[in-house]
Amino acid sequence: MTAQEDTTALDKLNSALNSGAFQQVRFTLNSTLRPVEVAHLLEKSPPKERQILWNLIHPENEGKVLQYLADDIQADILSKMDADRLLAITETLDTDDVADVLQQLPERITRELLQIMDQQNRERIEEILAYPEDTAGGLMNTDTVTIRPDITVETCLRYIRRHNEIPEMTDSLFVVSRKKNSYIGTLPLTKLLVSDPEITIREIMNTDIKPIPADMPDDKVASLFEKHDLVSAPVINKSGKLLGRITIDDVVDVIREDADHSLMSMAGLDEDEDTFAPLLKTTRRRAVWLGINLLTALLASSVIGLFQDTIDKVVALAVLMPIVASMGGIAGSQTLTLMIRGQALGHVERSNARWLLNRELLVSLLNGIIWAGVVAAVSMVWFSSQTIGIVIGLAIVINLIVGALAGTLLPLVLKAWGIDPALAGSVLLTTITDVVGFFAFLGLATYFYG
Amino acid sequence: MTAQEDTTALDKLNSALNSGAFQQVRFTLNSTLRPVEVAHLLEKSPPKERQILWNLIHPENEGKVLQYLADDIQADILSKMDADRLLAITETLDTDDVADVLQQLPERITRELLQIMDQQNRERIEEILAYPEDTAGGLMNTDTVTIRPDITVETCLRYIRRHNEIPEMTDSLFVVSRKKNSYIGTLPLTKLLVSDPEITIREIMNTDIKPIPADMPDDKVASLFEKHDLVSAPVINKSGKLLGRITIDDVVDVIREDADHSLMSMAGLDEDEDTFAPLLKTTRRRAVWLGINLLTALLASSVIGLFQDTIDKVVALAVLMPIVASMGGIAGSQTLTLMIRGQALGHVERSNARWLLNRELLVSLLNGIIWAGVVAAVSMVWFSSQTIGIVIGLAIVINLIVGALAGTLLPLVLKAWGIDPALAGSVLLTTITDVVGFFAFLGLATYFYG
C-alpha cells in the first residue's frame, strides 16, 4: 500500500466516521488493513477520532495494533484499561511483545498482571523484563531456531522440515551446545542450502560474528547491525547461554528513534512525542521549555540593562544590537548541529576534537571578517557614523568566534558530564551568544562613545 | 567490533602514523579491518590523515572501501583520480556498486568511463544509471536468484545447491515467468525449507506483496520496508519485468539519511556534510547561510529603526525587546519541528492539519497568558512602570500566537510549493517572529507612551 492509497484510506475512514457508517469502518480496521497500517492511522488521528477508531478494533486485534504504536500513545491507551482487559491482550501476543507492552505500564500494574499469569509465562516475561528497554536484552525476541553442532546438514534439513513454520526474519539458525545451551556459532540458511548433505554443521557454521551481550546499549547494537549488514543476531547472557535474537526490523526502529532524538531534543521536544497529543498535555510540556528559555532571555536583557546610559546616548545601538546576537547564534548553531550529528555517528572523539575546534574557530574568523565588513559598511551608511561601524564589526567577529567555541566545546563537555548535548546544547549556546553578543557590542560602544 | 575497540583502533593508527610506522598501518587497513570499518576510520579522520590513510589502502580494496563512504567524501576522493584508476576500481565492484560510484562523478567523466568499458558491462550499468539515485531503481542490486513457478520444491533445492554461494541478504527467491522474465511471486527460503518436496513453487509462493516499481521514490520504498518488515523486495520495470532487488541494508541508509536531513537542514547544513570537511569548503558553505540570516536580522533591525523615537523616550524598551522576539521564536520552533517530523513520518495531511493548527494556537494562547503574566510582573517591578508590563505582556501573547501560526502553516505551504520545509522553514519562522515581535512590542509602546 503506497502513501497515496494510505491517505485515501484515512480520508475514506474519516468520511465514513462522519456519516456514522461504523460497520464499514469496523470492517476496514479489522479485515482490510494490516495491524501496522491501523497503528499508522491511529497515530495520525486527533484524540477524539483516535478513541472512536480504537473502540472499533476487535479485542483479538488490539494487541497486534498496540505493538506498532509509538510509546507515548501506547502508554496512553494502556493507562485506560483494567487488569482483565490487559491480561486478555497479553494472551494474544508473543512473550517478547508482552514484555514491550508491560514496559509502558506503571510498575504496580505490571506486578499485578504478572501475578495473574500462569507460571511459565510469568517466568519467561520476568527474564526479559530484567533487561532495560534500551539494551540488547530489551530488544530481543525469544523465537530462535537452534541446532547442535554435531549433526549433519541432511539431519538439520530434516529437523527443520518438521517445523510447520519458521519465525519471520529468520535468516540464520543458531548453533548451541547440548549441555548448557551455550552459543557456539551461526548457520545462515543460504549456507545450509548450498552445503554438502554429509558434512556436519560444525564444519560450515560461522563463528566470525561475536554474539551480542544482553546488556549492550541499543545504539551499539544498531551500529553492529549497520557495520556487518546483519538481518538477525544472537543475544547471550554473561555465561554465554543463548537468550534470544535481535532482528533488523527492531533495529530500524532504534535507528529512526535515535536520529529523531537529536532533531526533537534541540527544540525541547521528546522523540516519542505524539503529533496529536491533547491540548493540556502539550501546553504543560511546552510551558517548561518556554520557561527555561525565558530565563535565558532575562539574562540577556539584564546584560543590556547594564548599558542603558549608552543606549540612551546612541539609540542606533538598540536598532543594531539584535544583529550581533543573531549572527553569533546562527554560526554557533551550525557548529553545534554538526558536532551533535558527528557524536551520533561516532565521528567525534578526543583524538580529532582539537582539529575540529581549530577548523571551526578559523571558519568563524574568516566568516566573521567577511560579514563584519558587510554589516559595518551597512551600519556606517545607515547611521552616518564610522564609530558604529567599527563597534559592530568587532562585536560580530568576537561573537562568531565565541559561537564556534561554544558550539564545539558544549557537546564535548556536556557528553562527558552525562548530559544530553541535543537537549541542553541549544539553550546554553543561545544564552552564551546572546550574553556575549550584547556585552561585546554595548561594551565596545560604551568604550568608544564614553 | 564494539565502538570502544573501534576508538582504540583509531588511536592506535594515529600513533602508528605519527611514529611513521606505515607498514603496520598498511597491514591494519588491508588485512585486519573490514572495508566498512576502514570507511568509518576515513570518515572520522581530518583531511591530511584521511589522505595518508587512503594512500595506504591496496588498490584492490579501494573500491570496497569507497562504497561505504558518505557521498561527499566519495565525490572528493573520486575527483582526484584519472580515468585509468577509476576504471581499475570499477572492475573490482559489482555492477550496481559501480553505478553508485559513477553517480558521484561529473557526467563528462562518467561518459568517458562508460566508453572504455566492455560492452556488456556498459549496457548493464547504463540500465541502472537510467534511474535517479533516490528511486527504487537507483537503490536496487541486480544479484537476484530467480526460479520458475512450475518446478517442484525438490528441483528448486537441487538447483540452489548447484550455486557455490547465494548472495548476502537473500531471504527470498523470486519467481519469474519463463518467457519475459516477468515477476510472478516471492518464495521465502524459510517457506522453501519446510515445504513438501513434491509440491510446485506456484503452490507455495507468496503473491501478497506487490513488487516495487523502479521509479518509486526511495522514502516510499523505506516506508514499505518498515510497514511489511521486509528484508528484500523485488523491483520491476513498467512492463513487469524483474530488474533486481532492494535489500534492507540499503534501506537503512535511506532511513538514516532522511532522518538526518531534517536536523541538518534546519541549521542550513547538508545531510551528506563531511564532519571533517576542509577549512575553505566549510567557510564557503557556512557563509551562504550566514548571509541569508543576515538579511533576516537586517529586516528585524529596520523594524526597530521605525521606533527610534519611542526607544529614545523609554530606554527600558531596548532592554526588554529581545525577550518578546525570543519567546515567539522558541514557541514557533517547537511547532515547526513537530510539523516537520510529522510530515516526515506521514502523519500530517489535509484532513488533520486544521486540528493541529487549532491545538497549536490554543497551546500558544495558554502558554502566552502564563508567561506573559510572568514577564509583565518582572518588567513592572524592574522598571517600576505598569504600562511597560501591559505592553510586553500583550506583545508576548501576540508573538506566541503568530509563532504557532507560522510554525504550523509554513511547513504546509512550503511543501505544497515544493520547497523543503526543513531548509527554508526555520529562517522564515525566525524572520516572522522577529519582525512581528519587535513591531508588536514597539508599536504598542508607541501607542501607550505616544
Side-chain angles (χ1 to χ4, degrees), chain B residues 217-234:
Chain B
D218 61 0
D219 57 332
K220 291 260 181 328
V221 173
S223 88
L224 270 183
F225 267 74
E226 284 197 79
K227 269 194 192 162
H228 297 277
D229 287 347
L230 301 175
V231 171
S232 72

Side-chain angles (χ1 to χ4, degrees), chain A residues 45 66 85 111 118 120 124 151 205 217 252 341 349:
Chain A
S45 299
L66 206 57
R85 187 97 177 277
R111 250 178 300 141
D118 66 67
Q120 197 200 346
R124 286 170 63 189
I151 63 172
M205 70 184 179
V252 166
R341 210 249 336 212
E349 52 199 48

Side-chain angles (χ1 to χ4, degrees), chain B residues 29 49 77 134 142 182 186 206 230 240 245 300 302 308 346 357 427:
Chain B
L29 288 177
E49 283 81 2
I77 291 180
D134 59 352
T142 49
S182 293
T186 296
N206 185 343
L230 301 175
R245 62 178 189 135
S302 68
Q308 287 187 60
L357 180 62
V427 182

Side-chain angles (χ1 to χ4, degrees), chain A residues 99-349:
Chain A
D100 288 345
V101 167
L102 290 186
Q103 266 153 342
Q104 301 306 322
L105 292 169
E107 215 189 302
R108 186 183 52 79
I109 298 182
T110 304
R111 250 178 300 141
E112 196 180 319
L113 264 181
L114 284 170
Q115 257 155 26
I116 48 178
M117 278 180 192
D118 66 67
Q119 193 186 342
Q120 197 200 346
N121 261 334
R122 178 168 63 238
E123 277 166 10
R124 286 170 63 189
I125 290 170
E126 276 172 345
E127 194 176 359
I128 300 180
L129 283 177
Y131 300 100
E133 207 185 349
D134 58 353
T135 62
L139 267 184
M140 75 182 175
N141 309 325
T142 50
D143 57 353
T144 51
V145 182
T146 58
I147 47 171
R148 311 287 172 207
D150 47 7
I151 63 172
T152 61
V153 166
E154 195 175 2
T155 315
C156 178
L157 285 170
R158 242 184 303 123
Y159 161 75
I160 291 176
R161 179 143 305 141
R162 283 207 305 268
H163 287 74
N164 276 326
E165 207 180 348
I166 304 181
E168 269 185 57
M169 295 265 164
T170 298
D171 67 320
S172 301
L173 311 177
F174 298 129
V175 188
V176 293
S177 69
R178 195 170 291 273
K179 258 188 175 167
K180 287 179 172 167
N181 225 28
S182 292
Y183 171 82
I184 302 176
T186 296
L187 179 63
L189 295 184
T190 51
K191 190 79 171 270
L192 181 68
L193 282 168
V194 299
S195 296
D196 175 0
E198 306 297 318
I199 217 164
T200 65
I201 299 303
R202 188 186 303 280
E203 293 168 81
I204 54 167
M205 70 184 179
N206 186 344
T207 52
D208 282 356
I209 294 171
K210 296 224 160 34
I212 296 176
D215 56 1
M216 183 185 274
D218 60 1
D219 56 332
K220 292 259 181 330
V221 173
S223 87
L224 271 183
F225 267 73
E226 285 196 80
K227 270 195 192 161
H228 298 277
D229 286 348
L230 301 174
V231 172
S232 72
V235 179
I236 55 167
N237 69 5
K238 285 215 169 61
S239 52
K241 185 187 153 201
L242 182 73
L243 298 177
R245 63 180 188 131
I246 294 177
T247 50
I248 182 75
D249 52 326
D250 293 323
V251 173
V252 166
D253 292 340
V254 171
I255 291 173
R256 190 183 275 294
E257 277 175 25
D258 280 355
D260 274 352
H261 173 79
S262 304
L263 173 74
M264 297 293 274
S265 296
M266 286 184 84
L269 299 165
D270 197 279
E271 73 264 25
D272 285 328
E273 184 109 8
D274 171 7
T275 310
F276 297 92
L279 177 65
L280 289 181
K281 196 171 175 184
T282 310
T283 306
R284 207 165 46 234
R285 288 189 180 183
R286 305 270 181 94
V288 176
W289 191 246
L290 280 170
I292 294 171
N293 280 278
L294 177 59
L295 289 178
T296 298
L298 282 172
L299 190 64
S301 284
S302 69
V303 171
I304 303 173
L306 298 175
F307 299 99
Q308 288 188 58
D309 294 345
T310 313
I311 295 173
D312 221 2
K313 230 185 282 176
V314 190
V315 75
L317 296 174
V319 177
L320 294 174
M321 67 183 187
I323 298 177
V324 181
S326 143
M327 296 288 277
I330 292 291
S333 291
Q334 289 204 297
T335 306
L336 182 74
T337 305
L338 192 78
M339 289 290 292
I340 287 173
R341 210 249 336 212
Q343 287 182 326
L345 294 180
H347 287 169
V348 178
E349 52 199 48

Side-chain angles (χ1 to χ4, degrees), chain B residues 245-435:
Chain B
R245 62 178 189 135
I246 294 176
T247 49
I248 181 76
D249 51 325
D250 294 323
V251 172
V252 166
D253 292 341
V254 171
I255 291 173
R256 190 182 273 294
E257 278 175 27
D258 280 356
D260 274 352
H261 172 79
S262 305
L263 173 73
M264 298 292 274
S265 297
M266 285 184 84
L269 298 166
D270 197 281
E271 72 265 25
D272 285 328
E273 184 110 7
D274 171 7
T275 311
F276 297 91
L279 177 65
L280 290 180
K281 195 171 175 185
T282 310
T283 306
R284 209 165 44 235
R285 288 190 181 182
R286 304 271 182 94
V288 176
W289 190 246
L290 281 170
I292 294 171
N293 279 277
L294 177 58
L295 289 178
T296 299
L298 283 173
L299 191 64
S301 284
S302 68
V303 171
I304 303 173
L306 299 175
F307 301 98
Q308 287 187 60
D309 294 343
T310 313
I311 296 173
D312 221 2
K313 231 184 282 176
V314 190
V315 75
L317 296 174
V319 176
L320 294 174
M321 67 185 185
I323 298 177
V324 180
S326 144
M327 295 287 279
I330 293 290
S333 291
Q334 290 203 299
T335 307
L336 181 74
T337 305
L338 192 78
M339 288 290 292
I340 285 172
R341 211 257 326 223
Q343 286 181 327
L345 294 180
H347 286 172
V348 178
E349 53 199 45
R350 230 175 346 175
S351 62
N352 54 30
R354 175 168 292 279
W355 187 90
L356 279 173
L357 180 62
N358 285 338
R359 187 201 55 192
E360 290 301 320
L361 287 175
L362 282 170
V363 168
S364 267
L365 182 67
L366 289 176
N367 272 325
I369 292 170
I370 296 170
W371 292 114
V374 173
V375 176
V378 170
S379 308
M380 284 180 192
V381 173
W382 190 351
F383 294 101
S384 324
S385 149
Q386 222 173 343
T387 316
I388 209 158
I390 294 169
V391 168
I392 199 167
L394 284 175
I396 285 180
V397 173
I398 292 172
N399 209 22
L400 252 59
I401 290 177
V402 168
L405 259 177
T408 315
L409 296 182
L410 275 175
L412 297 173
V413 172
L414 289 172
K415 204 180 172 193
W417 288 350
I419 302 169
D420 178 10
L423 186 64
S426 57
V427 182
L428 288 173
L429 180 93
T430 323
T431 311
I432 293 172
T433 50
D434 277 1
V435 167

